[in-house]
Amino acid sequence: MEAKHIVPVIIPDWKKEKPDCEACQSTCQSACKTSCTVSNQPCPLKE
Amino acid sequence: MGVNPRETVHVFRRGGRILAYDGASGTLHILDEVGEAVLRWFMDSCLAGVTCPGAVSKAVDCGVGPEQTEMALDETLPEGLASALGGRFSDAELAQAWKELKAALGKTLFAPDDILDQEGDEKEFTSALEAGLKSMCLDIAHDCNLACDYCFASQGSFGGKPSLMDEEMGKAAIDYLLEASKDRKYLDVDFFGGEPLLCFDTVKSVLLYALREGARRGKEFRFTLTTNCVLLDDDKISFLVDHGVSLILSLDGRQEVHDRMRRTRGGLPSHSVAVEGAKKAVAAKGGKGYFIRGTYTKHNLDFDEDVKYLYSQGFRYISLEPAVGEGTWGLTEKDFRAVDEAYGRLTEFWLDCRRRGDPFEFYHFNLGLHHGLCKERRMTGCGAGYEYVAVTPEGQIFPCHQLVGRDEFLLGDIWNGIKRQDLMKRFCLSRVPMKAGCASCWARYLCGGGCHARAVYSTGDLLKPDVISCQLMKMRLEHALYAQYCLFTRLIP
């Protein structure tokens, strides 16, 4: 069935663990400082 | 913890599009008028009173929802739906949209939430404590050459006497991080202040020491430096570039906006010299490895103009944060309409620049929707207090740079380590599943439960996020989701 009224556009792959996860988490922290109040930003190593 | 399923899916309109975001699965949907009407009908009629944690599709099995939920899901076209929307849409349209909604239930809409399903599993949530520190904010200077009105650090001194970190203290802080990071390989250090360039000899010495000791112990450091740009000169820039230091450059935008808040201690404007310093540094870094990090306040609610100004000056990595707090500059709900309109114009500008082939990064539009964030970041945001700490020029350890100087949050010091394990655990457990207001929220895994420091300053409770920040976050996320929708559906290159 091809949806036309309610269409998922971006379905994330959250559950897939990355081998570089530790590096990824490390990078998040610098991103945190960039925004200060908003820390939950994508890690470039995962993109 | 009770979850209101109606809040976990967010339906909104931006840029003439109708979008629906599912907080549990992170799926973004595009709807038409029929789809929106059917989804809203389902949320208002079938989910009234449903409090089943996790998937709404489980509501039927759980037996906690109204009987009509179970009945409706089995029907080709529920009678209630036909009678509610039959005047607006044909039976065929409604039946098709209903079929699509049922196909999405429990998958991309009202999906199960693996994280919330771990509720009560404290061991799962505190395992991060065992992993050790990974990031340190090194307060090189509790002093500043500027006296910005909105500064959370009391113009650099953090409410105490101005002080500078000496080289030996900085090296001792690195030693502490190396030890406290246990088996982690990758470590971050941010040279912060006040203004760290007031004490650049310490920055240089500590950085070189960290590289040397890190290599000896099999660790890799990444460095950032946050500066107001006024003291950036060729020698400093050269050192920072040569050692791959990422730069966070504090500029607010247009001259009158910047100089209203960011003046020297003698009251002189700083805009011209700061912009020139930033331009030099960015050029030396080849246009990468930096972010302009500005602040917008009640005085420049048209902050999209400041982003445009920064773009016109050649900057392509830009972040502007709202000023939230008690000052006359602090945003309040009265400003939300203007802020919302500014984000709308900013989104269009962001899209236009991409269409013209000269894009820029706006930090808060980078949601990483496809791959998503790692689980820990979705739950907690920054990791302050247990993965990330701030160290003062005197060697004291605080949970983050914004809580420096608050004695009740003093974790310990770099010679004796963490004395307040209880406090560390409190920070570790201040995460989405533990926050009553966050568990149902559609934005929970895009924001991670908000800023701990803002919660402390606003509500006095780590588990109660600041309401104003929350509302601004959700507003900004709507624009960001719309921007990402345009990007991923190739409405723009």
Side-chain angles (χ1 to χ4, degrees):
Chain A
M1 177 187 74
E2 186 177 349
K4 57 183 180 180
H5 300 298
I6 302 174
V7 183
V9 181
I10 302 174
I11 306 175
D13 184 12
W14 279 358
K15 292 181 180 173
K16 190 174 180 184
E17 291 299 325
K18 308 290 182 194
D20 55 5
C21 186
E22 203 242 330
C24 160
Q25 290 192 11
S26 188
T27 306
C28 287
Q29 222 47 264
S30 298
C32 155
K33 191 62 69 56
T34 306
S35 66
C36 272
T37 56
V38 185
S39 53
N40 218 357
Q41 295 295 323
C43 166
L45 295 179
K46 288 188 103 176
E47 292 299 302
Chain B
M1 183 177 292
V3 172
N4 182 350
R6 281 178 296 176
E7 293 177 9
T8 200
V9 170
H10 183 54
V11 184
F12 61 101
R13 292 181 177 227
R14 290 290 174 193
R17 308 278 171 170
I18 311 169
L19 299 165
Y21 182 77
D22 179 63
S25 70
T27 307
L28 185 65
H29 304 74
I30 182 79
L31 312 177
D32 65 5
E33 300 277 349
V34 188
E36 180 192 26
V38 169
L39 179 54
R40 287 192 186 281
W41 175 84
F42 177 76
M43 293 166 78
D44 292 341
S45 302
C46 296
L47 297 184
V50 173
T51 56
C52 177
V56 164
S57 56
K58 288 182 184 173
V60 178
D61 300 330
C62 294
V64 296
E67 288 182 5
Q68 67 187 76
T69 307
E70 186 170 8
M71 291 167 60
L73 286 170
D74 287 339
E75 294 175 49
T76 306
L77 180 57
E79 192 178 317
L81 175 59
S83 62
L85 300 175
R88 292 174 58 195
F89 309 106
S90 70
D91 282 357
E93 287 176 317
L94 292 173
Q96 175 67 22
W98 179 245
K99 192 175 175 185
E100 292 173 18
L101 175 61
K102 285 198 293 183
L105 283 180
K107 298 183 180 72
T108 64
L109 284 171
F110 308 102
D113 189 318
D114 296 343
I115 290 177
L116 289 183
D117 287 347
Q118 291 176 331
E119 182 184 353
D121 189 350
E122 189 173 301
K123 188 178 176 187
E124 169 76 22
F125 291 147
T126 54
S127 60
L129 283 171
E130 307 302 320
L133 294 180
K134 66 185 182 191
S135 184
M136 178 180 281
C137 174
L138 207 50
D139 282 3
I140 293 293
H142 275 193
D143 197 1
C144 193
N145 49 334
L146 298 188
C148 306
D149 284 354
Y150 48 47
C151 181
F152 70 86
S154 306
Q155 283 73 50
S157 67
F158 290 83
K161 287 171 62 178
S163 59
L164 301 177
M165 181 177 281
D166 64 37
E167 294 179 15
E168 294 313 308
M169 186 70 75
K171 291 175 183 175
I174 294 297
D175 286 338
Y176 170 73
L177 177 58
L178 285 166
E179 195 62 36
S181 62
K182 300 182 180 176
D183 293 330
R184 291 187 187 276
K185 180 177 180 184
Y186 299 98
L187 303 177
D188 281 352
V189 171
D190 182 32
F191 298 107
F192 199 65
E195 173 51 50
L197 297 188
L198 286 175
C199 199
F200 197 62
D201 285 344
T202 297
V203 172
K204 289 197 291 188
S205 179
V206 170
L207 183 148
L208 294 173
Y209 179 78
L211 288 177
R212 199 163 57 240
E213 284 302 300
R216 195 172 67 79
R217 299 172 66 158
K219 308 261 188 179
E220 286 187 24
F221 278 92
R222 281 178 287 227
F223 302 102
T224 56
L225 181 138
T226 302
T227 176
N228 60 37
C229 306
V230 172
L231 299 176
L232 279 171
D233 59 29
D234 291 342
D235 287 345
K236 295 187 183 79
I237 290 171
S238 176
F239 180 86
L240 295 167
V241 171
D242 288 348
H243 293 87
V245 179
S246 297
L247 298 177
I248 308 300
L249 306 167
S250 300
L251 300 177
D252 284 354
R254 293 165 291 178
Q255 181 162 13
E256 63 274 20
V257 170
H258 182 101
D259 285 339
R260 179 170 189 150
M261 287 285 142
R262 306 183 64 81
R263 302 180 81 84
T264 68
R265 291 199 166 277
L268 297 174
S270 67
H271 180 269
S272 299
V273 66
V275 169
E276 287 312 306
K279 281 182 177 177
K280 267 190 193 178
V282 168
K285 287 185 70 65
K288 293 183 177 175
Y290 76 95
F291 253 98
I292 302 297
R293 197 288 191 196
T295 301
Y296 68 87
T297 73
K298 188 184 274 293
H299 302 305
N300 62 314
L301 296 174
D302 59 344
F303 58 87
D304 54 303
E305 292 298 324
D306 294 293
V307 173
K308 290 172 188 169
Y309 169 82
L310 292 167
Y311 181 89
S312 75
Q313 296 301 301
F315 301 117
R316 293 294 180 267
Y317 296 87
I318 301 169
S319 174
L320 281 194
E321 276 290 317
V324 180
E326 298 300 316
T328 56
W329 37 262
L331 298 170
T332 64
E333 286 190 54
K334 288 180 184 171
D335 304 315
F336 281 5
R337 182 169 183 173
V339 170
D340 191 35
E341 289 171 357
Y343 275 123
R345 293 190 299 269
L346 171 57
T347 308
E348 291 308 317
F349 179 64
W350 185 84
L351 294 169
D352 281 345
C353 289
R354 296 195 79 95
R355 289 189 193 103
R356 286 191 283 105
D358 190 7
F360 71 99
E361 295 281 336
F362 185 67
Y363 188 71
H364 298 294
F365 287 172
N366 296 339
L367 298 179
L369 291 180
H370 276 296
H371 298 303
L373 299 154
C374 56
K375 188 175 168 186
E376 188 67 13
R377 291 282 73 76
R378 272 184 281 148
M379 282 193 286
T380 65
C382 64
Y386 67 100
E387 292 178 335
Y388 162 67
V389 294
V391 173
T392 69
E394 291 75 31
Q396 296 172 310
I397 302 173
F398 288 91
C400 85
H401 55 292
Q402 293 211 41
L403 291 172
V404 163
R406 296 275 300 236
D407 289 344
E408 67 273 36
F409 290 106
L410 179 62
L411 287 170
D413 61 60
I414 57 173
W415 301 280
N416 301 300
I418 302 296
K419 294 296 180 194
R420 293 288 309 276
Q421 296 289 344
D422 61 316
L423 195 52
M424 208 171 203
K425 187 175 176 182
R426 261 180 64 201
F427 273 85
C428 186
L429 286 174
S430 296
R431 51 186 60 210
V432 165
M434 277 66 174
K435 299 183 180 185
C438 297
S440 298
C441 177
W442 62 271
R444 59 191 181 277
Y445 298 132
L446 294 174
C447 106
C451 171
H452 294 320
R454 258 327 303 158
V456 166
Y457 287 115
S458 170
T459 70
D461 187 341
L462 282 168
L463 296 178
K464 291 182 183 169
D466 173 46
V467 173
I468 296 288
S469 299
C470 235
Q471 290 172 294
L472 284 167
M473 168 66 85
K474 285 190 267 194
M475 176 198 299
R476 185 168 62 194
L477 282 171
E478 285 188 3
H479 293 282
L481 287 167
Y482 168 64
Q484 291 301 317
Y485 163 78
C486 294
L487 189 61
F488 291 124
T489 54
R490 300 188 181 280
L491 290 179
I492 53 173

